[in-house]
Coordinates of all heavy atoms in Angstrom, one line a residue:
V1 N 16.9 1.2 23.4 CA 16.1 0.7 22.2 C 15.3 -0.3 22.7 O 15.7 -1.2 23.5 CB 17.2 0.1 21.1 CG1 16.5 -0.4 20.0 CG2 18.1 1.2 20.7
R2 N 14.0 -0.3 22.2 CA 13.1 -1.4 22.6 C 12.5 -2.0 21.4 O 12.5 -1.5 20.2 CB 12.0 -0.9 23.5 CG 11.0 0.1 22.8 CD 9.9 0.4 23.6 NE 9.0 1.3 23.0 CZ 8.0 1.0 22.1 NH1 7.8 -0.2 21.9 NH2 7.2 1.9 21.6
R3 N 12.0 -3.2 21.5 CA 11.3 -3.9 20.4 C 9.9 -3.4 20.3 O 9.2 -3.0 21.2 CB 11.3 -5.5 20.9 CG 11.0 -6.3 19.8 CD 11.4 -7.7 20.1 NE 10.1 -8.4 20.3 CZ 10.0 -9.7 20.6 NH1 11.1 -10.4 20.8 NH2 8.9 -10.3 20.7
L4 N 9.4 -3.4 19.0 CA 8.1 -2.9 18.8 C 7.0 -3.9 19.3 O 7.4 -5.2 19.4 CB 7.8 -2.8 17.2 CG 8.6 -1.8 16.5 CD1 8.3 -1.9 15.0 CD2 8.2 -0.4 17.0
T5 N 5.9 -3.4 19.7 CA 4.9 -4.4 20.2 C 4.1 -5.0 18.9 O 4.3 -4.4 17.8 CB 4.0 -3.6 21.1 OG1 3.2 -2.7 20.3 CG2 4.6 -3.0 22.3
I6 N 3.4 -5.9 19.2 CA 2.6 -6.5 18.1 C 1.6 -5.5 17.6 O 1.4 -5.3 16.4 CB 1.8 -7.8 18.6 CG1 2.8 -8.9 18.9 CG2 0.8 -8.3 17.6 CD1 2.3 -10.1 19.6
R7 N 1.0 -4.7 18.5 CA 0.0 -3.7 18.1 C 0.8 -2.6 17.2 O 0.2 -2.2 16.2 CB -0.6 -3.1 19.3 CG -1.5 -1.8 19.1 CD -2.8 -2.2 18.5 NE -3.6 -3.1 19.3 CZ -4.5 -4.0 18.8 NH1 -4.7 -4.0 17.5 NH2 -5.0 -4.8 19.6
E8 N 1.9 -2.2 17.6 CA 2.6 -1.2 16.8 C 2.9 -1.8 15.5 O 2.7 -1.1 14.4 CB 3.9 -0.9 17.5 CG 3.7 0.0 18.7 CD 4.9 0.1 19.6 OE1 5.8 -0.7 19.7 OE2 5.0 1.3 20.3
C9 N 3.3 -3.0 15.3 CA 3.6 -3.6 14.0 C 2.3 -3.8 13.2 O 2.3 -3.4 12.0 CB 4.2 -5.0 14.2 SG 5.9 -5.0 14.8
Q10 N 1.2 -4.0 13.9 CA -0.1 -4.1 13.1 C -0.4 -2.7 12.5 O -0.9 -2.6 11.5 CB -1.2 -4.5 14.1 CG -1.2 -6.0 14.4 CD -2.3 -6.4 15.4 OE1 -2.2 -6.2 16.5 NE2 -3.5 -6.9 14.8
R11 N -0.3 -1.7 13.3 CA -0.5 -0.3 12.9 C 0.4 0.1 11.6 O 0.0 0.7 10.7 CB -0.4 0.7 13.9 CG -1.5 0.6 15.0 CD -1.4 1.6 16.1 NE -2.4 1.5 17.0 CZ -2.4 1.7 18.3 NH1 -1.2 2.2 18.8 NH2 -3.4 1.6 19.2
L12 N 1.7 -0.3 11.7 CA 2.6 0.0 10.6 C 2.1 -0.7 9.3 O 2.4 -0.2 8.3 CB 4.0 -0.4 11.1 CG 4.7 0.5 12.1 CD1 6.0 -0.1 12.5 CD2 5.0 1.9 11.5
C13 N 1.6 -1.9 9.5 CA 1.1 -2.7 8.3 C -0.2 -2.3 7.9 O -0.7 -2.9 6.9 CB 1.2 -4.2 8.7 SG 2.8 -4.7 8.9
G14 N -0.9 -1.4 8.6 CA -2.2 -0.9 8.1 C -3.4 -1.6 8.7 O -4.5 -1.5 8.2
Y15 N -3.2 -2.5 9.6 CA -4.3 -3.2 10.2 C -5.1 -2.2 11.1 O -4.6 -1.4 11.7 CB -3.8 -4.4 11.2 CG -3.3 -5.6 10.5 CD1 -2.0 -5.6 10.1 CD2 -4.1 -6.6 10.2 CE1 -1.5 -6.8 9.4 CE2 -3.7 -7.7 9.6 CZ -2.4 -7.9 9.1 OH -1.9 -9.1 8.5
P16 N -6.4 -2.4 11.1 CA -7.3 -1.6 12.0 C -7.0 -2.0 13.5 O -6.6 -3.1 13.8 CB -8.7 -1.9 11.5 CG -8.6 -3.3 11.0 CD -7.2 -3.4 10.3
D17 N -7.2 -1.0 14.4 CA -7.0 -1.1 15.8 C -7.9 -2.2 16.3 O -7.5 -2.8 17.4 CB -7.2 0.1 16.5 CG -6.0 1.1 16.4 OD1 -4.9 0.6 16.0 OD2 -6.2 2.3 16.7
N18 N -9.0 -2.6 15.8 CA -9.9 -3.6 16.3 C -9.5 -5.0 15.9 O -10.1 -6.0 16.3 CB -11.3 -3.3 16.1 CG -11.6 -3.3 14.6 OD1 -10.7 -3.4 13.8 ND2 -12.9 -3.3 14.3
Y19 N -8.5 -5.2 15.0 CA -8.0 -6.4 14.6 C -7.2 -7.1 15.6 O -6.2 -6.5 16.2 CB -7.2 -6.3 13.2 CG -6.9 -7.7 12.5 CD1 -7.9 -8.2 11.7 CD2 -5.8 -8.3 12.7 CE1 -7.6 -9.4 11.1 CE2 -5.5 -9.4 12.2 CZ -6.4 -10.0 11.3 OH -6.2 -11.2 10.7
S20 N -7.4 -8.3 15.9 CA -6.8 -9.0 17.0 C -5.9 -10.3 16.5 O -6.4 -11.0 15.6 CB -7.8 -9.5 18.0 OG -7.1 -10.3 19.0
L21 N -4.8 -10.4 17.0 CA -4.0 -11.6 16.8 C -3.9 -12.5 18.1 O -2.9 -13.2 18.3 CB -2.6 -11.3 16.2 CG -2.5 -10.6 14.9 CD1 -1.2 -10.1 14.6 CD2 -3.2 -11.5 13.8
D22 N -4.9 -12.4 19.0 CA -4.8 -13.0 20.2 C -4.7 -14.6 20.2 O -4.3 -15.2 21.1 CB -6.0 -12.6 21.0 CG -6.0 -11.1 21.5 OD1 -4.9 -10.6 21.5 OD2 -7.1 -10.6 21.9
M23 N -5.2 -15.1 19.0 CA -5.2 -16.5 18.9 C -3.8 -17.1 18.6 O -3.6 -18.3 18.7 CB -6.1 -17.0 17.8 CG -5.7 -16.7 16.4 SD -5.6 -14.9 16.0 CE -7.2 -14.6 15.1
L24 N -2.8 -16.2 18.3 CA -1.4 -16.6 18.1 C -0.5 -16.3 19.2 O -0.7 -15.2 19.9 CB -0.9 -15.8 16.8 CG -1.7 -16.0 15.6 CD1 -1.1 -15.0 14.5 CD2 -1.7 -17.4 15.0
N25 N 0.5 -17.0 19.4 CA 1.5 -16.6 20.4 C 2.4 -15.6 19.8 O 2.3 -15.2 18.5 CB 2.3 -17.9 21.0 CG 3.2 -18.5 19.9 OD1 3.8 -17.7 19.1 ND2 3.3 -19.7 19.8
E26 N 3.2 -14.9 20.6 CA 4.0 -13.8 20.2 C 4.9 -14.1 19.0 O 4.9 -13.3 18.1 CB 4.8 -13.2 21.4 CG 5.5 -11.9 21.0 CD 6.3 -11.4 22.2 OE1 7.5 -11.8 22.4 OE2 5.7 -10.5 23.0
A27 N 5.6 -15.2 19.0 CA 6.5 -15.6 17.9 C 5.7 -15.7 16.6 O 6.1 -15.2 15.5 CB 7.2 -16.8 18.2
E28 N 4.5 -16.3 16.6 CA 3.7 -16.5 15.4 C 3.1 -15.2 14.9 O 3.1 -15.0 13.7 CB 2.4 -17.4 15.7 CG 2.9 -18.9 16.0 CD 1.7 -19.8 16.5 OE1 0.8 -19.2 17.2 OE2 1.7 -21.0 16.3
A29 N 2.7 -14.4 15.9 CA 2.2 -13.0 15.5 C 3.3 -12.2 14.7 O 3.0 -11.6 13.7 CB 1.7 -12.2 16.7
F30 N 4.5 -12.2 15.3 CA 5.6 -11.5 14.6 C 5.9 -12.1 13.3 O 6.3 -11.4 12.3 CB 6.8 -11.3 15.5 CG 6.7 -10.2 16.6 CD1 6.7 -10.6 18.0 CD2 6.5 -8.9 16.2 CE1 6.6 -9.6 18.9 CE2 6.5 -7.9 17.2 CZ 6.4 -8.3 18.6
D31 N 5.9 -13.4 13.2 CA 6.2 -14.1 12.1 C 5.1 -13.7 10.9 O 5.5 -13.4 9.8 CB 6.1 -15.6 12.3 CG 7.1 -16.4 11.4 OD1 8.1 -15.8 10.9 OD2 6.9 -17.5 11.3
L32 N 3.8 -13.7 11.3 CA 2.7 -13.2 10.4 C 3.0 -11.9 10.0 O 2.9 -11.5 8.7 CB 1.5 -13.4 11.1 CG 0.2 -13.0 10.3 CD1 -0.2 -14.0 9.3 CD2 -0.9 -12.6 11.2
L33 N 3.2 -11.0 10.9 CA 3.3 -9.5 10.6 C 4.6 -9.3 9.7 O 4.6 -8.4 8.9 CB 3.4 -8.7 11.8 CG 2.1 -8.7 12.6 CD1 2.3 -8.1 14.0 CD2 1.1 -7.9 11.8
G34 N 5.7 -10.1 9.9 CA 6.8 -9.9 9.1 C 6.6 -10.3 7.6 O 7.3 -9.8 6.7
N35 N 5.6 -11.1 7.4 CA 5.3 -11.6 6.0 C 4.1 -10.8 5.4 O 3.6 -11.0 4.3 CB 5.0 -13.0 6.0 CG 6.2 -13.9 6.2 OD1 7.3 -13.5 5.8 ND2 6.0 -14.9 7.0
T36 N 3.7 -9.8 6.0 CA 2.4 -9.0 5.6 C 2.9 -8.0 4.6 O 3.9 -7.3 4.7 CB 1.8 -8.4 6.9 OG1 1.4 -9.3 7.9 CG2 0.6 -7.5 6.5
V37 N 2.1 -7.8 3.6 CA 2.2 -6.7 2.7 C 1.6 -5.4 3.4 O 0.3 -5.6 3.7 CB 1.4 -7.0 1.4 CG1 1.5 -5.8 0.4 CG2 2.1 -8.3 0.7
C38 N 2.2 -4.4 3.4 CA 1.8 -3.1 4.1 C 0.9 -2.4 3.0 O 1.3 -1.8 2.1 CB 2.9 -2.3 4.6 SG 3.9 -3.1 5.8
V39 N -0.4 -2.5 3.2 CA -1.4 -2.0 2.2 C -1.3 -0.4 2.0 O -1.2 0.0 0.9 CB -2.8 -2.4 2.7 CG1 -3.8 -1.7 1.8 CG2 -3.1 -3.9 2.7
P40 N -1.1 0.4 3.1 CA -0.9 1.8 2.8 C 0.3 2.1 1.9 O 0.3 2.9 1.1 CB -0.7 2.3 4.2 CG -1.4 1.4 5.1 CD -1.1 0.0 4.5
V41 N 1.4 1.4 2.1 CA 2.6 1.6 1.4 C 2.4 1.2 -0.1 O 2.8 1.9 -1.0 CB 3.8 0.8 2.0 CG1 5.1 0.9 1.0 CG2 4.2 1.3 3.4
I42 N 1.8 0.0 -0.3 CA 1.5 -0.5 -1.7 C 0.6 0.5 -2.4 O 0.8 0.8 -3.6 CB 1.0 -1.9 -1.6 CG1 2.0 -2.9 -1.0 CG2 0.6 -2.4 -3.0 CD1 3.4 -2.9 -1.7
K43 N -0.4 1.0 -1.6 CA -1.4 1.9 -2.2 C -0.7 3.1 -2.7 O -0.9 3.6 -3.8 CB -2.4 2.3 -1.2 CG -3.5 3.2 -1.7 CD -4.6 3.5 -0.7 CE -5.5 4.5 -1.2 NZ -6.6 4.8 -0.1
E44 N 0.2 3.7 -1.9 CA 0.9 4.9 -2.3 C 1.9 4.6 -3.5 O 1.9 5.5 -4.4 CB 1.6 5.4 -1.1 CG 2.4 6.8 -1.3 CD 1.3 7.9 -1.6 OE1 0.2 7.8 -1.0 OE2 1.7 8.8 -2.3
I45 N 2.5 3.5 -3.5 CA 3.4 3.2 -4.7 C 2.6 3.1 -5.9 O 2.9 3.7 -6.9 CB 4.1 1.9 -4.4 CG1 5.2 2.1 -3.2 CG2 4.8 1.4 -5.6 CD1 5.8 0.8 -2.7
A46 N 1.4 2.4 -5.8 CA 0.6 2.3 -7.1 C 0.0 3.6 -7.5 O 0.0 3.8 -8.7 CB -0.6 1.3 -6.7
L47 N -0.3 4.5 -6.6 CA -0.8 5.9 -7.0 C 0.3 6.6 -7.7 O 0.1 7.2 -8.7 CB -1.3 6.6 -5.8 CG -2.6 6.1 -5.2 CD1 -2.9 6.9 -3.9 CD2 -3.8 6.4 -6.2
R48 N 1.5 6.6 -7.2 CA 2.7 7.3 -7.8 C 3.1 6.7 -9.1 O 3.4 7.4 -10.0 CB 3.8 7.3 -6.7 CG 3.6 8.2 -5.6 CD 4.7 8.3 -4.6 NE 4.4 9.0 -3.5 CZ 5.3 9.7 -2.7 NH1 6.6 9.7 -3.1 NH2 4.9 10.3 -1.7
L49 N 3.0 5.4 -9.2 CA 3.3 4.8 -10.5 C 2.3 5.2 -11.5 O 2.6 5.5 -12.7 CB 3.4 3.3 -10.3 CG 4.6 2.7 -9.7 CD1 4.4 1.1 -9.5 CD2 5.8 2.9 -10.6
G50 N 1.0 5.2 -11.1 CA -0.1 5.6 -12.1 C 0.1 7.0 -12.5 O 0.0 7.3 -13.7
K51 N 0.4 7.9 -11.6 CA 0.6 9.3 -11.9 C 1.8 9.5 -12.9 O 1.8 10.2 -13.8 CB 0.8 10.2 -10.8 CG -0.5 10.4 -10.0 CD -0.1 11.2 -8.7 CE -1.3 11.4 -7.8 NZ -1.1 12.1 -6.6
S52 N 2.9 8.7 -12.6 CA 4.1 8.8 -13.5 C 3.9 8.3 -14.9 O 4.2 8.8 -15.8 CB 5.2 8.0 -12.8 OG 6.3 8.0 -13.6
Y53 N 3.1 7.2 -14.9 CA 2.7 6.6 -16.2 C 1.8 7.6 -17.1 O 2.2 7.8 -18.2 CB 2.0 5.3 -16.0 CG 1.4 4.7 -17.3 CD1 2.3 4.1 -18.1 CD2 0.1 4.8 -17.6 CE1 1.8 3.5 -19.3 CE2 -0.4 4.2 -18.8 CZ 0.5 3.6 -19.7 OH 0.0 3.2 -20.8
L54 N 0.9 8.2 -16.4 CA 0.0 9.1 -17.2 C 0.8 10.3 -17.6 O 0.6 10.8 -18.7 CB -1.1 9.6 -16.3 CG -2.1 8.5 -16.0 CD1 -3.2 9.0 -15.0 CD2 -2.9 8.0 -17.2
K55 N 1.7 10.8 -16.8 CA 2.6 11.9 -17.2 C 3.5 11.6 -18.4 O 3.6 12.5 -19.3 CB 3.5 12.4 -15.9 CG 4.3 13.6 -16.1 CD 5.0 13.9 -14.9 CE 5.8 15.2 -15.1 NZ 6.6 15.6 -13.8
T56 N 4.1 10.4 -18.4 CA 4.9 10.0 -19.6 C 4.1 9.8 -20.8 O 4.6 10.1 -21.9 CB 5.7 8.8 -19.2 OG1 4.8 7.7 -18.9 CG2 6.7 9.0 -18.1
Q57 N 2.9 9.3 -20.6 CA 2.0 9.2 -21.8 C 1.7 10.5 -22.4 O 1.6 10.7 -23.6 CB 0.7 8.4 -21.4 CG 0.9 7.0 -21.1 CD 1.6 6.2 -22.2 OE1 0.9 6.2 -23.3 NE2 2.6 5.6 -22.0
K58 N 1.4 11.5 -21.6 CA 1.1 12.9 -22.1 C 2.3 13.4 -22.8 O 2.2 14.2 -23.8 CB 0.7 13.8 -21.0 CG -0.7 13.5 -20.4 CD -1.1 14.4 -19.3 CE -2.5 14.0 -18.8 NZ -2.9 14.9 -17.7
M59 N 3.5 13.1 -22.3 CA 4.7 13.7 -23.0 C 5.1 13.0 -24.3 O 5.5 13.6 -25.1 CB 5.9 13.6 -22.0 CG 5.8 14.5 -20.8 SD 6.7 13.9 -19.4 CE 8.2 14.5 -19.5
G60 N 4.8 11.7 -24.3 CA 5.2 10.9 -25.5 C 4.2 11.0 -26.6 O 4.5 11.7 -27.6
E61 N 3.1 10.3 -26.6 CA 2.2 10.2 -27.7 C 1.1 11.2 -27.6 O 1.0 11.9 -26.6 CB 1.6 8.8 -27.8 CG 2.8 7.8 -27.9 CD 2.3 6.3 -28.0 OE1 1.1 6.1 -28.1 OE2 3.1 5.4 -27.8
K62 N 0.1 11.2 -28.5 CA -1.1 12.0 -28.5 C -1.8 11.8 -27.2 O -2.0 10.6 -26.7 CB -2.0 11.8 -29.7 CG -1.4 12.1 -31.0 CD -2.3 11.9 -32.1 CE -1.7 12.3 -33.5 NZ -2.6 12.0 -34.6
E63 N -2.4 12.8 -26.6 CA -3.2 12.7 -25.4 C -4.5 12.1 -25.6 O -5.0 12.2 -26.7 CB -3.3 14.0 -24.7 CG -2.0 14.7 -24.2 CD -2.1 15.9 -23.5 OE1 -3.2 16.0 -22.8 OE2 -1.3 16.8 -23.6
Y64 N -5.0 11.3 -24.7 CA -6.4 10.7 -24.7 C -7.2 11.3 -23.7 O -6.8 11.7 -22.5 CB -6.3 9.2 -24.6 CG -5.7 8.6 -25.8 CD1 -4.2 8.4 -25.8 CD2 -6.4 8.1 -26.8 CE1 -3.7 7.8 -27.0 CE2 -5.9 7.5 -27.8 CZ -4.5 7.3 -27.9 OH -3.9 6.7 -29.0
E65 N -8.5 11.5 -23.9 CA -9.4 12.0 -23.0 C -9.7 10.8 -22.0 O -9.4 9.7 -22.4 CB -10.8 12.4 -23.6 CG -10.6 13.6 -24.4 CD -11.9 14.1 -25.1 OE1 -12.9 13.2 -25.1 OE2 -12.0 15.1 -25.6
I66 N -10.3 11.1 -20.9 CA -10.5 10.1 -19.9 C -11.4 9.0 -20.4 O -11.2 7.8 -20.0 CB -11.2 10.8 -18.6 CG1 -10.1 11.7 -17.9 CG2 -11.7 9.7 -17.6 CD1 -10.7 12.5 -16.8
N67 N -12.4 9.2 -21.3 CA -13.2 8.2 -21.7 C -12.6 7.3 -22.8 O -13.2 6.4 -23.4 CB -14.6 8.8 -22.2 CG -14.3 9.7 -23.5 OD1 -13.3 9.7 -24.0 ND2 -15.5 10.3 -23.8
G68 N -11.4 7.6 -23.2 CA -10.6 6.8 -24.2 C -10.7 7.2 -25.5 O -10.1 6.6 -26.4
T69 N -11.3 8.3 -25.8 CA -11.4 8.8 -27.2 C -10.2 9.6 -27.5 O -9.7 10.3 -26.6 CB -12.7 9.5 -27.6 OG1 -12.8 10.6 -26.7 CG2 -13.9 8.6 -27.4
R70 N -9.8 9.8 -28.8 CA -8.5 10.6 -29.0 C -9.0 12.0 -28.9 O -10.1 12.5 -29.2 CB -8.2 10.3 -30.5 CG -7.3 9.1 -30.5 CD -6.7 9.0 -31.9 NE -6.0 7.7 -31.9 CZ -4.8 7.5 -32.2 NH1 -4.1 8.5 -32.7 NH2 -4.2 6.3 -32.2
N71 N -8.0 12.8 -28.4 CA -8.2 14.2 -28.2 C -7.4 14.9 -29.3 O -6.2 15.1 -29.1 CB -7.7 14.6 -26.8 CG -8.0 16.1 -26.5 OD1 -8.7 16.8 -27.2 ND2 -7.4 16.6 -25.4
I72 N -8.0 15.1 -30.5 CA -7.3 15.6 -31.7 C -7.3 17.2 -31.7 O -8.3 17.8 -31.5 CB -7.7 15.0 -33.0 CG1 -7.5 13.5 -32.8 CG2 -7.0 15.5 -34.2 CD1 -8.1 12.6 -33.9

């Protein structure tokens, strides 16, 4: 078992490969990455929540068209 590198942690958190944390020592870099919000994960969660919400709205009340007018 080995420890992840700073670069591997950056990739897991969605940072681009050209992003550098060279100005920080190793402990500071891992500290920063440990407090990072992983954008790809949050994006996927938000998309799934949105789809789930729209699905429940269609099942419950009258459906609405995309432009906001009632679909009667």
Side-chain angles (χ1 to χ4, degrees):
V1 178
R2 69 173 180 83
R3 198 165 107 173
L4 293 174
T5 66
I6 293 172
R7 175 69 59 208
E8 290 169 332
C9 289
Q10 285 178 279
R11 287 180 179 150
L12 287 171
C13 291
Y15 284 88
D17 282 340
N18 64 349
Y19 191 81
S20 175
L21 294 175
D22 292 341
M23 71 295 262
L24 303 174
N25 66 41
E26 188 177 82
E28 292 171 329
F30 280 117
D31 217 20
L32 174 83
L33 292 167
N35 292 320
T36 298
V37 174
C38 298
V39 175
V41 174
I42 300 301
K43 181 180 177 182
E44 187 64 29
I45 290 170
L47 289 171
R48 289 181 186 208
L49 284 172
K51 287 178 185 176
S52 177
Y53 174 77
L54 291 174
K55 186 176 180 181
T56 59
Q57 290 301 303
K58 287 181 181 179
M59 291 158 84
E61 300 180 14
K62 294 181 181 178
E63 293 185 34
Y64 291 86
E65 292 179 349
I66 293 174
N67 66 6
T69 60
R70 284 189 183 231
N71 188 13
I72 300 174

